[in-house]
Amino acid sequence: MLYYQVETRKPYEEVLDELKSAIAENNFRITAHSRVGKVIRERGDKDFPDFDTIQFCNLTHARTMLLIAPEAIKYMPCNVVMHQRNGKTIVRTHLLPTDSDNPELNRFFGTMNEKLKAIVDFAVEE
């Protein structure tokens, strides 16, 4: 699986807020947000670093994709993960494969990959 990953020295919570904003600005809806690091800290490991996962979807894009290739359901929803390491905030998203036997799906996924990269880039922009 392909990934797109960017690092920044921006504060974690600021990147998280920008990520949520970028998702909404690109007409996606957040379907789940797991604050894994925060929950582990709340359970007693007070020094555990931040880890978050955010899943999001756009039903118009989902409909288009499923009409092109119903088996592409395995790529839903879109997903971004974040964590801290060595004073940096790291943001990573899965990219969709563009090398299938279906040229229409490859074009659609290429467009979606650009949207996913733009969301991540907006969040880490300083």
Side-chain angles (χ1 to χ4, degrees):
M1 181 153 306
L2 301 173
Y3 298 95
Y4 180 69
Q5 179 174 303
V6 182
E7 299 178 356
T8 183
R9 294 216 177 264
K10 277 175 61 174
Y12 191 87
E13 289 298 324
E14 186 177 329
V15 174
L16 182 58
D17 288 342
E18 296 282 7
L19 182 59
K20 290 178 184 178
S21 177
I23 290 168
E25 287 293 320
N26 281 275
N27 297 316
F28 289 90
R29 173 173 279 161
I30 294 174
T31 58
H33 179 187
S34 298
R35 305 247 13 209
V36 178
K38 179 180 178 184
V39 173
I40 291 172
R41 284 193 304 278
E42 288 172 355
R43 290 189 176 180
D45 191 345
K46 64 181 178 139
D47 296 323
F48 200 84
D50 281 312
F51 283 88
D52 283 71
T53 65
I54 298 176
Q55 293 79 40
F56 53 98
C57 190
N58 173 302
L59 290 178
T60 301
H61 295 321
R63 180 183 182 280
T64 299
M65 178 189 72
L66 295 173
L67 287 173
I68 294 169
E71 67 279 4
I73 187 73
K74 65 186 171 189
Y75 298 112
M76 293 177 62
C78 297
N79 188 346
V80 174
V81 297
M82 294 178 52
H83 67 280
Q84 287 183 311
R85 185 180 332 147
N86 300 325
K88 294 180 182 176
T89 299
I90 300 159
V91 184
R92 184 179 199 181
T93 189
H94 294 101
L95 295 178
L96 302 165
T98 57
D99 61 351
S100 76
D101 294 335
N102 185 331
E104 186 178 7
L105 183 63
N106 293 341
R107 282 189 299 278
F108 178 79
F109 278 175
T111 300
M112 289 301 299
N113 285 343
E114 293 308 311
K115 291 178 187 297
L116 294 169
K117 290 176 185 178
I119 288 169
V120 169
D121 288 342
F122 181 86
V124 301
E125 186 177 285
E126 295 188 42

